[in-house]
Amino acid sequence: MTAHNEAKKDDISKIVIMPGDPLRAKYIAENFLTDYKLVNTVRNIFAYTGFYKNKKITVMASGMGMPSMGIYCYELYKFYDVDTIIRIGSCGVYVEDVNLLETILVDGSFTTGNFAKNMTGEEVNFVNASMEVNDLIENVSKELKIPIRKENMACTECFDPYLENVNLYLKQLPEEKKIVGSEMESFALFYTAKVLDKKAACLLTVVDSIKKKQSLTSEDRQNSLHDMIKLSLETAIKLT
């Protein structure tokens, strides 16, 4: 148990699927897992542990933003001996050749923030996902015929639509990284995994486009997540 997680150590599996939204964790448990139970309710950050095709899986929310993700993934890795976390979430894109509802497998995550410096003192602003897990996700996507695209993403500290000048932010992104869009948690997850010698990956569904000025409703977002959830779970059962 920790200050943020009331689950017993054995209540959490070695592999965790991690949406941001607690209600999305509930949705996954109710619709994809069998014999599941609610193992954490502290701060309403729901965690459910059950079975997917006879493999023990935990689905736990991360909350929004790097500080929240940083707390929960650190505790899962450090105190619950979790080996792998696969984040699943939504993102916005900055480029015209990425369409709504496409699934992105994050290769690397860039931030203008100081998460790494605060955590370890390192001046690090870009970190990659675990190659082993990403390779497996790519193979599973081919088996399931679920198309994905591997891209670099920005991990922001402010929700893009609320930025007073999004173009000013975009100018801070390194051109050589070919960043296609943004979300708010992947850098904290990837960097924490790297520090603790663990594994992490991130799958995202595109739900809005700045260039095309398109977006989805919350209901559309929920429906669009099915393939991403399936892909994460099918990958999880093949992890050792």
Side-chain angles (χ1 to χ4, degrees):
M1 296 174 63
T2 71
H4 310 97
N5 193 335
E6 65 191 348
K8 297 176 182 177
K9 193 170 183 179
D10 290 343
D11 287 338
I12 303 293
S13 69
K14 297 295 184 182
I15 301 163
V16 176
I17 306 299
M18 202 162 216
D21 184 355
L23 293 181
R24 192 163 293 154
K26 181 174 184 287
Y27 173 85
I28 296 170
E30 292 176 344
N31 290 276
F32 292 88
L33 302 184
T34 58
D35 297 325
Y36 65 86
K37 64 178 180 177
L38 181 62
V39 297
N40 183 63
T41 61
V42 176
R43 294 176 180 260
N44 284 333
I45 294 293
F46 301 147
Y48 297 84
T49 297
F51 293 87
Y52 180 76
K53 296 185 177 180
N54 297 318
K55 178 102 171 190
K56 185 179 179 181
I57 300 291
T58 295
V59 182
M60 182 174 181
S62 69
M64 289 192 291
M66 286 188 279
S68 186
M69 169 60 85
I71 288 171
Y72 292 108
C73 73
Y74 184 92
E75 291 182 351
L76 289 170
Y77 286 139
K78 185 75 173 182
F79 304 118
Y80 287 91
D81 292 339
V82 169
D83 294 324
T84 305
I85 295 175
I86 302 176
R87 160 166 156 67
I88 56 173
S90 57
C91 68
V93 292
Y94 305 137
V95 296
E96 291 188 359
D97 70 331
V98 181
N99 299 312
L100 296 186
L101 301 180
E102 285 198 85
T103 301
I104 292 177
L105 173 63
V106 181
D107 189 15
S109 181
F110 173 83
T111 183
T112 59
N114 291 313
F115 183 90
K117 186 175 182 179
N118 288 331
M119 186 177 190
T120 65
E122 286 188 298
E123 296 279 359
V124 175
N125 293 99
F126 184 84
V127 62
N128 287 104
S130 301
M131 185 181 298
E132 175 188 345
V133 184
N134 272 11
D135 287 347
L136 182 57
I137 290 173
E138 287 189 280
N139 290 335
V140 172
S141 73
K142 292 173 184 177
E143 292 173 8
L144 298 178
K145 297 182 179 178
I146 296 176
I148 61 173
R149 52 189 298 163
K150 187 191 288 185
E151 305 284 358
N152 289 335
M153 298 293 289
C155 188
T156 64
E157 295 177 299
C158 297
F159 186 45
D160 284 0
Y162 300 162
L163 295 176
E164 291 189 5
N165 188 341
V166 69
N167 290 322
L168 185 62
Y169 174 73
L170 294 179
K171 288 179 181 179
Q172 299 178 63
L173 304 181
E175 291 185 13
E176 69 274 13
K177 296 300 184 184
K178 298 180 180 179
I179 292 166
V180 303
S182 68
E183 50 79 67
M184 301 183 74
E185 289 84 32
S186 62
F187 184 90
L189 173 61
F190 294 174
Y191 187 74
T192 302
K194 179 182 177 181
V195 169
L196 297 178
D197 195 25
K198 301 287 187 171
K199 293 178 283 190
C202 178
L203 285 164
L204 303 168
T205 297
V206 179
V207 298
D208 60 69
S209 171
I210 290 176
K211 288 286 187 181
K212 297 181 180 180
K213 297 182 179 179
Q214 297 174 330
S215 62
L216 299 177
T217 66
S218 58
E219 183 178 359
D220 289 334
R221 292 182 186 211
Q222 182 67 34
N223 293 336
S224 70
L225 293 172
H226 185 275
D227 282 351
M228 186 173 62
I229 294 168
K230 186 80 172 176
L231 181 54
S232 67
L233 289 169
E234 289 292 330
T235 298
I237 64 176
K238 295 189 177 186
L239 285 166
T240 55

